[in-house]
Amino acid sequence: MTKLKDKVTSLESKKTSRRKFFKAAAATGAVAAASLAMPNISVAQSAVTLKMQSAWGPSDADPFFEMNKQYARKVEAMSGGSLKVEVLPVNAVLKTAEIADGVSTGVVDAGHTVTAYWYGKNPASSLFGTGPSYGFSSQELMGWIEYGGGRALYEETLKATKLDYVGFFAMPMPAQPFGWFKKELKSVADVKGMKYRTVGLATNVLQGMGMTVLQLPGGEIQPAMKTGLIDAAEFNNPSSDKNFGMQDVSKFYSLGSFHQSQEMFEITFNTKKFNSLSKQHQSILRIAAEAANSDNYWYALKRYSDDLNKLVKESGVKPFPTPKDILAEQMKSWDKVVADFSAKDPLFKRIVESQKAYAKSVMKYLFMNQPDYTIAYRQYFGDPSKVVV
């Protein structure tokens, strides 16, 4: 009891000292400087820490893990330290496929992943990142989510899947490479019967092209290709692929594909935990995702391009554009897959129809207005596929 009284007396003494200090500071015009120097005891006492299970890491060299931490740093900075996100590497508490359920049930407070990882629970999840393009990239798909009716459909999909969390999106990923092959692809005939790794609806699309598809976690891809379990594979980007050591099992890298041409991160928070936060903290979690959207993308473009150059120079990797007949076959397969799932699931069909309506309008403007930027690039540097950096 004596110790408690001493603490109260000490705090009262500090409050009295502060009042005297402010009076003196006001007299000298130094209030602003004094407020900056004063210790912020209330923030330290009321700080909230959310445990976020990442689908990435644990190495800081993992670009996605770094992007996850960029988001966490923004949350802390925007809240003045009153809200923190502790980023846990993949498998720290939950495996990749367990994250959606783990956040929903409160095993962890939050998750940083992609919707395709709960594709097994509901194929419609793949439409929020690994669905058909309709001419748009991930930038425009995110525009559809926020301004084209996509958010309401996303929340309806969560409810239909019995996932109890609040989700935000960040990082409009560049179109993913078709991946790593034992030889350069010349035509669609080269992929028939091939054992290949991907995730989400892309699994159905490539199976429709005559490929045998396995869904494997990122860390298992390179060993599977090394042992012959699969013949070819994709993950996401040159930096992640380089970290996995794909250049040690293949030298032929097919760039540009419609199998996963517009994906982004899904940042999730357990609903009960999210609702327990102040309105200010809730807004910070949402706005930080918007800020990370730009930061992640800028970081990705620089790192991906640097790592692609390293793969070519240091490892003898031979990047090449995916043949046009393969792209055409992918589009045909997408049409069949979408038609099949739409016939089974009215919600799936409504999501597709909403995306098509948005793309038809927005992409018309973009395609009519934006110049062909490859013209400018070729004028100064030459054919992009042959430029040595």
Side-chain angles (χ1 to χ4, degrees), residues 330-350:
Q330 288 177 347
M331 294 298 294
K332 288 181 184 178
S333 190
W334 265 119
D335 286 344
K336 185 177 186 311
V337 168
V338 168
D340 289 346
F341 279 104
S342 294
K344 300 173 187 174
D345 182 1
L347 175 57
F348 190 103
K349 183 178 181 180
R350 285 194 289 116

Side-chain angles (χ1 to χ4, degrees), residues 81-92:
S82 66
L83 181 61
K84 299 180 180 181
V85 175
E86 181 184 350
V87 179
L88 307 173
V90 65
N91 298 329

Side-chain angles (χ1 to χ4, degrees), residues 84 237 352:
K84 299 180 180 181
N237 62 79
V352 167

